[in-house]
Amino acid sequence: MSAASRTLASLRPRCSSSSVRPAVARPFSTSSSRSLQLPGGKWLKNVLGSNMQNLEAQTQTVSDPDAERAKQVAAQKEGQTSLFEERAQELDKEKGREGVAGGLGGPDRTKTYTDHKYSTAEFKTSRRRLNDLGRQISGKPIDSAILQMVFSQKRPSNRIKSTLALARDHAVAKGLQRDRLVVSQAWVTKGKYLKRQDIKGRGRMGIKHHPSARLNVLLVEGPTFEQSQNKKRRKRLSKIRSAGAVREDVKIRNPGPGWTW
């Protein structure tokens, strides 16, 4: 037997058959006082415990807003709130007083609006051409003005149609009645004129001017379409002076004998 074999034999554990215990399967019980010992078990327990504590704190904060409000009031009395928290609370109060329609920055519900002004952005067109379209829609109900732009063949008509539709929706959000909206005024303002070179022959050159303009409209509550039509009808009837026509807006007084033959 070599020296290496004797060394390995001496390193082997020596145990008798009586000292060896048979393995017995033990059922895992969660109610047992002894927990499963895993590497890093203490760290896992600490992490889960802290997460559960945070979750309970958030649940209490959400479920009890009055307690949170009481804490804030107490902190204000003691002077422990920061400047940023006070400013955030002031903004919340201002947003609560404002009426929000369609998102933040909506119209103030505490104020009564009587009109709404809207305008297009500056776009490439002639102010004279745009002024003709403005005269076409001025004084008409909003739906009639939009209908005029739908069937118009002018190039800026599509942009004006979209502007009128947006102005109508914004006016309705302010509290104005849609069926009574009338384009009270429509005017044009001149925009920037871009200058470009106009190359000509024989060494000459000129300057081209590319105009731009914008259209402004003012919507107010006016008579409906039926009311305006009735007013025109009464005006036409009041101008009738012929004996052969029968006026329907006045009573018949002192009727004559009619034809005598």
Side-chain angles (χ1 to χ4, degrees), residues 47-64:
V47 171
L48 292 177
S50 60
N51 291 340
M52 291 299 295
Q53 292 177 1
N54 296 335
L55 183 60
E56 292 177 359
Q58 292 177 2
T59 305
Q60 293 178 0
T61 303
V62 173
S63 61
D64 196 0

Side-chain angles (χ1 to χ4, degrees), residues 153-166:
Q153 297 181 358
K154 300 295 184 180
R155 185 178 299 174
S157 61
N158 290 330
R159 188 182 292 265
I160 297 176
K161 178 189 66 176
S162 302
T163 301
L164 292 175
L166 284 174

Side-chain angles (χ1 to χ4, degrees), residues 171-184:
V172 171
K174 282 185 173 181
L176 302 177
Q177 297 182 11
R178 175 172 175 172
D179 56 344
R180 296 185 58 188
L181 288 178
V182 178
V183 183
S184 176

